[in-house]
């Protein structure tokens, strides 16, 4: 989810969508999958294609049961799902996917609180200005030079009792972060994505065309430290500008990156950097180098996230038009905005090129009270196929096939009706990921959902298992992993 200034995260997320009322709801367009609904479901009504079976929901529980306690990203460890929340994080036991249960909850406010895991360590992104780096901090203006935001480190060797270990402050905070294991295996590197500098923010000064890299020693996590701040766009990024469609948000200028996805086996990273989509060479981990860069000033407003296919020959970039708050899944916005852009990686290994092939967007129109746009997803590991599951906020989750880059198509979906049919309340699936045979979704307001995808086209994926999975650190899928 996008926010324009560090000190405005919560108000931006929950209340910045007045323009959405102008976006009209119309009938379903395109060719939906078999079993798709022909009208908007009722409030909280669950609907799905026949091949998507809803196994379980665990509602948010106190102190995370308020509208402001927004559920965010997910990481996985030893059949546990760890779900970030604007107020901290929650650990679920998912050994029995049909009966997930809460193991522990950690109250540690500071949006977005995106998470990743490595062994007994958990990392938590804080992207709102706080009075200090503790979990008892309070909100404080980003214009105050004493304010803090950055990355926190927890020991989760005891999943029932996580222990706060250390923190590292980073410029402009940590909106998201991407874990890359260090080749010496003695530490992990965290590539911190942050953006939106301003002259009146002492800890977030323009230009901000860089990432921050934090190194965390595995055996001494209390010694986590900032080790590099490489500039990705020395000549500046996309300057941004008006959206070609009236009444839609402007195209974002590039002032940092929103999300980075690593493919460690290829020493490659894909960056969604607000106005730019990039490929980054990370052979020298502390000296990442942009080797390819594309823009889409006609249809993309905010480059949000990236996903490689398993062969590392394609990248899916998402456009989070409206920052996750607008109702963009409708006829007015159309099929090419607030969508995925599919790019093939072509050319020589040392000089890769991103070649645009097509767009993908869910065809089920949502109501004008439902925030809906392309968001976080992961591959479904089917050998020889490129299939992924993806969150669309109140558009639910979609399973779609992009094996033919020029002709992607949906093969399954799950969604709820609007949180409200009279007012816009930010809700829906923030992240939808495939892990060890099932789909897990972090719903902003409804908690954790578990879905069983029952389809012969994806059955082979059930043979792939991981003890640990961070979706923004893509592995190469094989039948068994430890």
């Amino acid at each position: 989810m996008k926010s324009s200034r560090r000190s405005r995260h919560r108000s931006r997320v929950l209340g910045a969508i007045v323009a959405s009322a102008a976006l009209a709801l119309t009938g379903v367009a395109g060719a939906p999958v078999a079993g798709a609904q022909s009208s908007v479901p009722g409030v909280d009504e669950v609907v799905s294609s026949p091949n998507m079976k809803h196994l379980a929901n665990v509602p948010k529980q106190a102190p995370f049961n308020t509208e402001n306690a927004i559920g965010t990203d997910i990481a996985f460890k030893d059949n546990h799902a760890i779900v970030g929340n604007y107020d901290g994080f929650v650990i679920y036991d998912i050994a029995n996917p049909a009966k997930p249960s809460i193991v522990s909850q950690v109250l540690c406010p500071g949006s977005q609180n995106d998470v990743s895991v490595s062994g007994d360590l958990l990392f938590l992104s804080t992207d709102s200005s706080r009075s200090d780096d503790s979990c008892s901090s309070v909100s404080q203006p980003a214009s105050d030079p004493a304010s803090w935001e950055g990355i926190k480190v927890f020991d989760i060797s005891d999943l029932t009792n996580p222990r706060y270990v250390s923190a590292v402050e980073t410029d402009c905070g940590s909106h998201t972060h991407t874990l890359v294991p260090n080749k010496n295996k003695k530490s992990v590197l965290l590539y911190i994505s942050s953006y939106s500098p301003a002259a009146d923010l002492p800890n977030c000064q323009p230009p901000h065309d860089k990432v921050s890299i934090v190194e965390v020693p595995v055996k001494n996590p209390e010694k986590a430290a900032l080790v590099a701040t490489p500039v990705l766009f020395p000549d500046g990024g996309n300057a941004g500008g008006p959206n070609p469609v009236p009444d839609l948000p402007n195209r974002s200028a590039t002032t940092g990156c929103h999300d980075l996805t690593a493919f460690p086996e290829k020493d490659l990273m894909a960056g969604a950097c607000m106005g730019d989509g990039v490929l980054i060479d990370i052979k020298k981990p502390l000296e990442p180098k942009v080797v390819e860069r594309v823009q889409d000033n006609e249809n993309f407003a905010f480059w949000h996230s990236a996903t490689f296919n398993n062969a590392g020959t394609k990248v899916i970039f998402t456009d989070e038009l409206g920052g996750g708050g607008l109702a963009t899944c409708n006829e007015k916005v159309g099929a090419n905005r607030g969508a995925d852009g599919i790019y093939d990686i072509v050319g020589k290994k040392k000089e890769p090129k991103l070649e645009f092939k097509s767009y993908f967007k869910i065809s089920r129109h949502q109501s004008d009270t439902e925030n809906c746009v392309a968001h976080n997803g992961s591959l479904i590991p089917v050998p020889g196929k490129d299939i992924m599951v993806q969150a669309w906020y109140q558009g639910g989750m979609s399973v779609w096939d992009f094996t033919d880059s020029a002709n992607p198509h949906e093969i399954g979906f799950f969604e709820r009706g609007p949180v409200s049919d009279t007012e816009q309340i930010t809700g829906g699936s923030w992240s939808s990921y495939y892990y060890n045979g099932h789909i897990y979704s972090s719903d902003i307001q409804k908690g954790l959902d578990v879905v069983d995808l029952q389809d012969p086209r994806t059955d082979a994926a059930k043979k792939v298992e991981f003890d640990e999975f961070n979706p923004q650190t893509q592995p190469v899928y094989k039948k068994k992993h430890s």
Side-chain angles (χ1 to χ4, degrees), residues 7-26:
S7 58
R8 298 180 183 174
H9 275 256
R10 196 162 301 225
S11 60
R12 170 86 173 180
V13 170
L14 297 173
I17 317 307
V18 281
S20 65
L23 302 178
L25 170 70
T26 61

Side-chain angles (χ1 to χ4, degrees), residues 187-272:
S187 65
V188 296
L189 299 174
L190 306 176
Y191 290 72
I192 309 297
S193 297
S194 56
Y195 57 90
S196 291
D200 63 337
L201 303 180
N203 301 321
C204 188
Q205 289 286 296
H208 183 74
D209 296 324
K210 63 184 181 183
V211 295
S212 299
I213 303 177
V214 170
E215 184 172 12
V216 185
V218 173
K219 293 185 178 180
N220 297 290
E222 66 278 359
K223 294 184 178 180
L226 181 67
V227 293
T229 54
V231 174
L232 297 182
F233 302 98
D235 300 323
N238 193 328
N243 197 303
V245 178
D247 302 324
L248 289 183
N250 288 342
R251 294 182 292 105
S252 292
T254 297
T255 58
C257 292
H258 182 281
D259 236 275
L260 300 168
T261 295
F263 202 137
E265 244 183 77
K266 289 204 170 190
D267 289 324
L268 198 61
M269 185 175 277

Side-chain angles (χ1 to χ4, degrees), residues 19 36 148 171 206 212 235 279 291 409 419 424 457 466 468:
W148 183 93
D171 289 350
S212 299
D235 300 323
L279 287 178
V291 292
H409 60 280
V419 177
Q424 188 170 48
R457 292 168 289 188
F466 286 91
E468 188 175 284

Side-chain angles (χ1 to χ4, degrees), residues 296 298-300 319 333-340 358-361:
D296 181 351
E298 177 65 26
N299 289 314
F300 264 44
D319 172 25
V333 174
N336 296 342
R337 295 182 172 88
D340 297 311
S358 65
Y359 297 105
F360 172 79
K361 188 174 182 180

Side-chain angles (χ1 to χ4, degrees), residues 228-375:
T229 54
V231 174
L232 297 182
F233 302 98
D235 300 323
N238 193 328
N243 197 303
V245 178
D247 302 324
L248 289 183
N250 288 342
R251 294 182 292 105
S252 292
T254 297
T255 58
C257 292
H258 182 281
D259 236 275
L260 300 168
T261 295
F263 202 137
E265 244 183 77
K266 289 204 170 190
D267 289 324
L268 198 61
M269 185 175 277
C273 300
M274 303 180 71
D276 293 270
V278 298
L279 287 178
I280 304 169
D281 185 325
I282 56 171
K283 286 187 182 70
K284 297 180 179 179
L286 301 187
E287 301 175 25
K289 179 184 177 183
V290 173
V291 292
E292 170 66 332
R293 174 178 164 191
V294 291
Q295 298 177 350
D296 181 351
N297 293 330
E298 177 65 26
N299 289 314
F300 264 44
F302 189 87
W303 296 68
H304 173 277
S305 55
T307 303
F308 289 97
N309 69 338
N310 191 47
T313 58
K314 302 177 185 178
V315 182
I316 305 300
F317 289 107
T318 67
D319 172 25
E320 195 189 34
L321 172 67
L326 285 177
T328 72
C329 296
N330 53 34
E331 186 176 48
K332 177 178 180 179
V333 174
N336 296 342
R337 295 182 172 88
D340 297 311
I342 305 169
Y343 288 77
D344 283 356
I345 302 175
V346 299
K348 298 178 181 179
K349 184 176 181 180
K350 293 185 178 181
E351 297 178 352
K353 299 296 180 184
L354 289 167
E355 183 178 280
F356 174 77
K357 304 302 290 187
S358 65
Y359 297 105
F360 172 79
K361 188 174 182 180
I362 58 172
S363 60
R364 295 172 304 285
H365 286 172
Q366 307 297 304
S367 75
D368 58 4
T369 64
E370 292 180 283
N371 57 303
C372 177
V373 75
H375 213 233

Side-chain angles (χ1 to χ4, degrees), residues 4 16 47 63 120 131 199 202 207 212 236 250 252 282 313 340 343 386 391 421 426 443 449 456 460-461:
S4 61
V47 295
D120 290 334
S131 56
S212 299
N250 288 342
S252 292
I282 56 171
T313 58
D340 297 311
Y343 288 77
D386 297 327
D421 57 6
T426 299
D443 188 288
D449 284 305

